């Protein structure tokens, strides 16, 4: 009995500690701000993303119909989430914890900010602070640009980053870069994070089955992984680096699930044959009934003649 | 047997006595009118419920996202099942030369016709937009078991109707001159339907040919209708329906409910129509054995259907089986299996229990249990969808039939009773000529000895 009580107390403590644990965000991440101002467009874009990625657990904001998980996801319209500052929410969405997934490689930072813009629309007291300058601490005063090219001979994609200030141009070195391909559902990460070399180049290997559109084109984006240091500049480029893919419609061929004109031949034949055989027997029987009538009529006539 | 039997005095004599007994009941009397009146009023009340469903949609039933097939489809399966008895009695037993079935073949066909005819209507009651019923024929997919089902059920209905009608032709001819005092329209119908039957040997010959074709055709047809009905379930990957033995499982179960229905009808006609001379204790004894046999076969299929997934307990099967064995449906499940199958079989093995009255009581229990069995096949499976839904009201997940739904289901049962009443009250319920033939043959044989 005593041991049961002990176990129960222990479980209770464990449970409490999981539930009550504060979700600490590192100090240097707390101050992060969006580089653009939230408006109706960002809010609407955010709502779409929220419905796709978050609603299944967090429910509709304001309705408190989130999933019954431990710890609870919480309703984003409530104090529990709104008391976080922008940097904290950004961090929590990006990193995740326990059942809350990490969205770092699923959403770009702009997309996360769009979601935050949507979440903040439920908070009347919220006043947005915007980070005014897009600058990098490593190359102060410069504009950082990226250039993406596809080297078909060794199936790789090369990203070159350089910092421009007035007319001078220097390569951005030792910067971590991530490369994504835009897909219908989220982003596909290409290779791993790469660090730029002395000439500002990072080389990504294209995986074997990289599907492109019908011309083999893919839309790729490059980003710095440490945007605090190198800024949020990014580059979207269409490259002919994928396999030409012409999607085959599931209803293109004859199949069980297709419409009747594309039904498998064997089933059309079997069905029609069955119906014809049954019908012909039925017709045969009807003819027999007619025969009975004809015989009767004949006998009747004969009788009346006599 | 010589064809000329139909011209002997003995046969005519027998015909006279049998037709007197049978035709006594063919009339529109007060009892008939009162009974039809009660049925019509109840039907009207139930159809009122249907008009509500028509106006407001299927939301007035208990059907929701999770359980979209409920009482209606269970009743549909039950009706199709019961109608199979026509095939078992007329064809399987008839073609194998079983003599004692002669007086009950027509009762079996009446049941087949009535239940098959209403089965189709039950499907329409399950439709949210019955006005789109013609779409089934306009845009139906031949790959879909639903279309096969529509095809075979209508064909089966038609062939059963012919199986009832063709052996009736000689009776109509015999009766039409003996119907004094009946309404003129009835005599007129007899005249038309008897297709100039004059008891000629050639006509008998043609009729026997036609019957043989139908009796053979009805066997694959009956197997098809209930196998296809089982495929409506078995071709889906749901735990509890995803079974390879659903065809024979359904067919063997069909014979149980059909035989019970025939026994109930036999008892009723015997007592009400005073047909003790033709539906004797001997017939009850025999059909009681048939009920025992088909129930044992059904028990065998039940064991198969539950032991095999029960031994493996695959994740979803386990959830479903637990619900049946010890969960929400446990009372109903064990009630149906024990009171509707095991105990009846045990009782039927005792000779005394195959006397008319005990057999009637057993059959009523078996018949009712058969309906609940269909409910258990159709409904519980849907309570555990593979794709669970969240944040929805309980009624969306847990099926509970509503009063409107129950009334509409009652309407279909009342319709069955009406069809049975009309077919059995306006036409001879046992085949006059066949019984006369049988009695004459027996007498002749005795004389020969």
């Amino acid at each position: 009995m005593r041991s049961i009580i002990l176990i129960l107390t222990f479980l209770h403590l464990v449970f409490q500690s999981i539930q009550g644990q504060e979700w600490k965000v590192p100090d240097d991440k707390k101050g992060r701000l969006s580089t653009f101002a939230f408006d109706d467009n960002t809010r609407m874009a955010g709502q779409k993303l929220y419905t796709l990625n978050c609603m299944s657990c967090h429910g509709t904001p304001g309705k408190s119909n989130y999933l019954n998980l431990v710890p609870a996801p919480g309703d984003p319209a409530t104090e529990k989430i709104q008391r976080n500052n922008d940097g904290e929410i950004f961090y929590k969405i990006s990193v995740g914890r326990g059942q809350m997934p990490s969205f770092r490689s699923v959403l770009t930072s702009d997309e996360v900010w769009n979601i935050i813009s949507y979440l903040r629309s439920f908070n009347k007291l919220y006043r947005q602070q915007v980070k005014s300058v897009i600058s990098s601490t490593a190359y102060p005063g410069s504009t950082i640009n990226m250039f993406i090219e596809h080297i078909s001979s060794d199936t790789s994609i090369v990203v070159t980053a350089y910092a421009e200030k007035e007319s001078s141009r220097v390569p951005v070195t030792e910067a971590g870069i991530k490369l994504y391909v835009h897909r219908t559902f989220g982003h596909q990460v290409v290779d791993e994070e790469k660090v730029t070399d002395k000439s500002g180049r990072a080389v990504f290997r294209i995986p074997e089955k990289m599907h492109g559109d019908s011309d083999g084109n893919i839309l790729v984006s490059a980003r710095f992984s440490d945007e605090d240091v190198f800024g949020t500049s990014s580059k979207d480029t269409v490259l002919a680096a994928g396999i030409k893919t012409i999607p085959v419609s599931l209803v293109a061929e004859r199949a069980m699930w297709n419409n009747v004109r594309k039904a498998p031949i064997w089933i059309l034949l079997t069905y029609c044959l069955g119906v014809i055989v049954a019908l012909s027997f039925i017709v045969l029987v009807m003819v027999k009934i007619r025969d009975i009538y004809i015989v009767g009529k004949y006998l009747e006539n004969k009788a009346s003649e006599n | 047997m010589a064809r000329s039997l139909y011209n002997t005095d003995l046969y005519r004599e027998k015909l006279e006595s049998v037709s007197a007994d049978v035709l006594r009941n063919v009339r529109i009397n007060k009892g008939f009118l009162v009974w039809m009146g009660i049925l019509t009023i109840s039907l009207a009340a139930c159809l009122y419920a249907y008009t509500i469903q028509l106006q407001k949609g299927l939301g007035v039933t208990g059907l929701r996202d999770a359980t979209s097939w409920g009482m209606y489809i269970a009743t549909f399966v039950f009706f199709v099942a019961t109608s199979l008895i026509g095939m078992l009695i007329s064809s399987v037993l008839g073609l194998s030369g079983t003599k004692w079935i002669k007086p009950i073949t027509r009762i079996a066909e009446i049941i087949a016709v009535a239940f098959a005819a209403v089965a189709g209507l039950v499907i329409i009651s399950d439709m949210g937009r019955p006005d789109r019923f013609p779409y089934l024929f306009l845009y139906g997919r031949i790959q879909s078991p639903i279309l096969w089902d529509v095809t075979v059920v209508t064909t089966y209905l038609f062939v059963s109707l012919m199986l009832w009608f063709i052996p009736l032709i000689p009776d109509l001819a015999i009766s039409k001159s003996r119907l004094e005092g009946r309404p003129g329209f009835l005599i007129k119908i007899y005249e038309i339907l008897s297709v100039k039957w004059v008891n000629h040997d050639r006509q008998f010959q043609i009729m026997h040919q036609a019957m043989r074709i139908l009796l053979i055709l009805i066997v694959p047809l009956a197997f098809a209708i209930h196998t296809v009905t089982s495929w409506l379930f078995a071709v889906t990957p749901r735990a509890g329906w995803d079974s390879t033995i659903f065809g024979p499982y359904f067919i063997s179960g069909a014979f149980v409910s059909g035989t019970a229905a025939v026994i109930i009808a036999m008892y009723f006609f015997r007592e009400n129509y005073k047909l003790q001379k033709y539906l004797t204790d001997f017939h009850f004894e025999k059909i009681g054995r048939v009920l025992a046999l088909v129930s044992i076969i059904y028990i065998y299929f039940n064991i198969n259907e539950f032991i095999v997934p029960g031994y493996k307990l695959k994740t979803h099967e386990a959830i479903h089986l637990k619900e049946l064995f010890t969960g929400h449906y446990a009372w109903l499940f064990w009630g149906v299996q024990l009171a509707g199958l095991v105990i009846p079989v045990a009782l039927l093995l005792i000779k005394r229990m195959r006397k008319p009255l005990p057999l009637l009581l057993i059959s009523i229990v078996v018949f009712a249990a058969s309906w609940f069995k269909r409910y258990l096949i159709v409904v519980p499976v849907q309570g555990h969808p593979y794709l669970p839904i969240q944040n929805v009201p309980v009624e969306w997940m847990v099926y509970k039939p509503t009063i409107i739904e129950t009334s509409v289901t009652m309407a279909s049962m009342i319709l069955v009773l009406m069809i049975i009443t009309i077919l059995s009250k306006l036409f001879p319920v046992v085949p006059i000529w066949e019984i006369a033939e049988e009695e004459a043959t027996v007498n002749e044989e005795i004389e020969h000895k």
Side-chain angles (χ1 to χ4, degrees):
Chain A
M1 193 65 206
R2 256 187 46 207
S3 61
I4 291 178
I5 292 178
L6 262 173
I7 291 173
L8 283 179
T9 336
F10 176 73
L11 283 179
H12 184 70
L13 282 176
V14 170
F15 187 70
Q16 252 194 344
S17 67
I18 291 175
Q19 203 172 32
Q21 214 167 54
E22 188 71 33
W23 188 349
K24 289 249 164 56
V25 176
D27 284 338
D28 57 324
K29 309 281 183 195
K30 276 187 184 163
R32 182 153 190 177
L33 291 174
S34 164
T35 52
F36 53 84
F38 297 162
D39 56 19
D40 282 354
N41 288 334
T42 63
R43 186 174 49 75
M44 262 142 66
Q47 179 171 13
K48 256 190 210 140
L49 290 162
Y50 180 88
T51 311
L52 267 176
N53 297 291
C54 325
M55 183 117 102
S56 55
C57 292
H58 286 275
T60 316
K63 291 244 164 98
S64 287
N65 56 356
Y66 48 83
L67 271 199
N68 189 10
L69 302 172
V70 178
D75 182 333
T78 59
E79 158 77 13
K80 170 172 153 53
I81 289 179
Q82 294 294 344
R83 68 164 174 239
N84 291 289
N85 67 28
D86 289 357
E88 285 170 326
I89 300 188
F90 186 94
Y91 178 84
K92 288 178 180 177
I93 297 175
S94 307
V95 177
R97 180 176 85 165
Q99 307 211 58
M100 164 77 196
S102 155
F103 284 90
R104 200 168 12 208
S105 50
V106 179
L107 303 170
T108 64
S109 47
D110 286 1
E111 285 171 332
V112 174
W113 285 120
N114 284 339
I115 293 177
I116 296 175
S117 153
Y118 170 64
L119 297 184
R120 290 304 193 195
S121 67
F122 295 93
N123 183 352
K124 294 228 170 56
L125 302 172
Y126 173 77
R127 295 285 169 272
Q128 195 198 357
Q129 271 183 285
V130 187
K131 195 172 176 183
S132 46
V133 276
I134 321 162
S135 66
S136 103
T137 49
Y139 297 86
S142 310
T143 318
I144 298 199
N145 281 319
M146 281 192 254
F147 178 71
I148 307 178
E149 64 188 323
H150 171 216
I151 316 275
S152 49
S153 55
D154 62 349
T155 57
S156 58
I157 293 174
V158 175
V159 180
T160 317
Y162 44 87
E164 271 171 315
K165 195 177 185 181
E166 278 134 36
S167 58
S168 77
R169 189 195 239 215
V170 288
V172 174
T173 57
E174 288 185 41
I177 292 183
K178 283 185 192 159
L179 192 69
Y180 308 89
V181 178
H182 290 253
R183 293 298 188 201
T184 311
F185 300 103
H187 306 283
Q188 178 189 358
V189 182
V190 181
D191 211 344
E192 300 163 343
E193 179 181 336
K194 299 284 170 175
V195 178
T196 50
D197 60 11
K198 274 196 210 88
S199 48
R201 284 160 46 102
V203 182
F204 297 84
R205 298 207 64 74
I206 303 174
E208 238 171 72
K209 288 225 173 83
M210 171 67 74
H211 287 278
D213 62 10
S214 52
D215 296 324
N217 288 335
I218 49 176
L219 175 61
V220 294
S221 296
R223 262 157 234 287
F224 291 110
S225 27
D226 200 340
E227 295 186 325
D228 290 336
V229 178
F230 298 99
T232 52
S233 66
S234 67
K235 175 81 182 176
D236 291 352
T237 309
V238 173
L239 297 177
I243 303 168
K244 285 183 189 167
T245 314
I246 298 159
V248 185
S249 164
L250 278 177
V251 290
E253 287 173 21
R254 288 191 176 276
M256 250 349 187
W257 59 80
N258 219 325
N259 64 25
V260 72
R261 258 182 250 116
K262 295 223 179 128
I265 304 265
W266 66 267
I267 211 152
L268 292 176
L269 285 180
T270 315
Y271 177 87
C272 295
L273 200 74
V275 170
I276 290 170
V277 168
L279 274 185
S280 42
F281 277 118
I282 290 174
V283 169
L284 190 62
V285 171
M286 307 285 268
V287 169
K288 297 252 175 226
I289 295 178
R290 196 172 142 264
D291 287 351
I292 292 178
Y293 178 83
I294 291 173
V295 170
K297 188 101 186 158
Y298 170 76
L299 291 171
E300 211 178 58
N301 288 346
K302 218 165 76 170
S304 62
E305 270 167 30
N306 293 344
Chain B
M1 177 182 53
R3 288 261 160 257
S4 50
L5 175 81
Y6 301 119
N7 290 322
T8 59
D9 287 338
L10 182 63
Y11 177 70
R12 289 208 191 93
E13 200 180 288
K14 291 286 170 199
L15 214 54
E16 215 49 61
S17 70
V18 177
S19 61
D21 286 339
V22 174
L23 291 176
R24 206 175 42 230
N25 298 296
V26 178
R27 66 206 157 104
I28 297 180
N29 56 352
K30 213 150 115 205
F32 172 75
L33 291 177
V34 169
W35 170 240
M36 282 304 273
I38 295 174
L39 287 182
T40 313
I41 292 168
S42 337
L43 183 68
C46 294
L47 285 184
Y48 172 68
Y50 184 64
T51 60
I52 299 177
Q53 182 185 314
L54 262 186
Q55 277 164 18
K56 302 204 172 157
L58 283 177
V60 299
T61 68
L63 302 170
R64 291 292 180 277
D65 295 42
T67 305
S68 52
W69 281 358
M71 213 183 219
Y72 293 152
I73 299 294
T75 306
F76 164 73
V77 176
F78 175 70
F79 280 11
V80 173
T82 308
S83 77
L84 283 212
I85 192 62
M87 180 278 274
L88 179 70
I89 301 270
S90 312
S91 270
V92 177
L93 296 179
L95 287 175
S96 65
T98 315
K99 289 242 166 60
W100 59 265
I101 56 147
K102 286 214 167 130
I104 61 173
T105 43
R106 193 163 294 155
I107 296 178
E109 287 310 334
I110 289 175
I111 288 182
V113 168
F115 280 93
V118 183
L121 293 179
V122 175
I123 288 291
I124 296 182
S125 74
D126 191 58
M127 295 177 72
R129 290 287 303 267
D131 53 307
R132 291 186 182 172
F133 183 69
Y135 288 11
L136 208 61
F137 303 98
L138 296 176
Y139 313 113
R141 292 169 59 252
I142 285 178
Q143 303 96 302
S144 165
I146 292 183
L147 195 82
W148 312 340
D149 215 39
V150 173
T151 315
V152 284
V153 170
T154 34
T155 317
Y156 182 80
L157 170 62
F158 192 73
V159 173
S160 295
L161 206 56
M162 298 229 275
L163 273 176
W164 168 78
F165 171 64
I166 293 180
L168 185 68
I169 297 175
D171 279 4
L172 294 170
I174 294 162
S175 315
K176 67 185 175 193
S177 56
R178 296 175 168 82
L179 283 179
E180 320 80 38
R182 295 350 181 256
F185 80 91
L186 193 62
I187 299 172
K188 188 92 198 145
I189 291 177
Y190 271 56
E191 178 63 45
I192 295 169
L193 288 184
S194 62
V195 291
K196 299 249 177 275
W197 181 272
V198 289
N199 261 350
H200 192 268
D201 281 359
R202 176 74 196 131
Q203 286 181 319
F204 270 110
Q205 204 182 339
I206 300 172
M207 181 187 72
H208 284 301
Q209 284 168 358
M211 281 302 284
R212 207 162 313 127
I213 296 171
L214 285 180
L215 288 178
I216 293 171
L217 176 65
I218 196 88
V219 177
L221 246 177
F223 271 76
I225 98 173
H226 218 37
T227 306
V228 169
T229 306
S230 85
W231 286 350
L232 296 179
F233 303 91
V235 296
T236 72
R238 286 192 187 228
W241 288 349
D242 181 5
S243 159
T244 54
I245 64 158
F246 247 40
Y249 177 55
F250 269 44
I251 288 177
S252 58
F255 291 155
V256 176
S257 68
T259 311
V262 164
I263 293 172
I264 297 171
M266 275 169 71
Y267 188 89
F268 177 84
F269 292 132
R270 175 185 144 111
E271 295 302 313
N272 260 281
Y273 288 10
K274 305 276 175 301
L275 294 176
Q276 282 87 346
K277 214 161 114 195
Y278 307 104
L279 301 169
T280 63
D281 282 13
F282 170 74
H283 293 105
F284 280 86
E285 152 76 23
K286 286 290 185 189
I287 191 113
R289 287 180 188 215
V290 172
L291 182 59
L293 176 68
V294 292
S295 301
I296 290 170
I297 297 175
Y298 193 40
I299 291 178
Y300 161 75
F301 274 106
N302 268 281
I303 292 174
N304 234 299
E305 178 61 20
F306 290 111
I307 289 265
V308 173
Y311 192 92
K312 294 179 280 195
L313 281 183
K314 288 190 276 185
T315 324
H316 290 89
E317 299 275 3
I319 297 172
H320 170 62
L321 290 179
K322 209 170 147 219
E323 196 73 350
L324 289 184
F325 292 167
T326 55
H328 186 236
Y329 292 98
W331 278 104
L332 195 56
F333 178 79
W334 292 112
V336 164
Q337 299 290 1
L338 295 177
L341 271 181
V342 177
I343 297 174
V345 166
L347 290 177
L348 285 171
L349 295 179
I350 306 166
K351 195 170 164 90
R352 234 173 337 127
M353 289 292 154
R354 299 195 295 265
K355 291 255 173 266
L357 186 62
L359 190 57
L360 168 77
L361 299 178
I362 293 174
S363 298
I364 290 175
V365 174
V366 169
F367 192 60
S370 295
W371 186 87
F372 284 106
K373 174 74 184 175
R374 303 304 178 286
Y375 187 88
L376 282 171
I377 291 175
V378 174
V379 172
V381 168
Q382 299 166 82
H384 312 285
Y386 280 128
L387 285 179
I389 46 177
Q390 297 157 352
N391 304 330
V392 296
V394 191
E395 313 89 80
W396 290 26
M397 300 291 297
V398 182
Y399 171 70
K400 240 174 94 194
T402 61
I403 294 187
I404 291 185
E405 203 174 355
T406 315
S407 311
V408 177
T409 305
M410 294 296 293
S412 57
M413 302 195 173
I414 294 169
L415 265 179
V416 169
L417 282 180
M418 285 175 117
I419 297 181
I420 293 180
T421 308
I422 290 174
L423 292 187
S424 64
K425 193 67 196 164
L426 300 188
F427 301 99
V429 75
V430 290
I432 300 170
W433 68 273
E434 273 184 294
I435 294 178
E437 178 190 39
E438 182 73 21
E439 286 185 355
T441 329
V442 172
N443 273 18
E444 232 176 26
E445 273 164 13
I446 292 170
E447 270 165 34
H448 273 280
K449 276 176 197 162

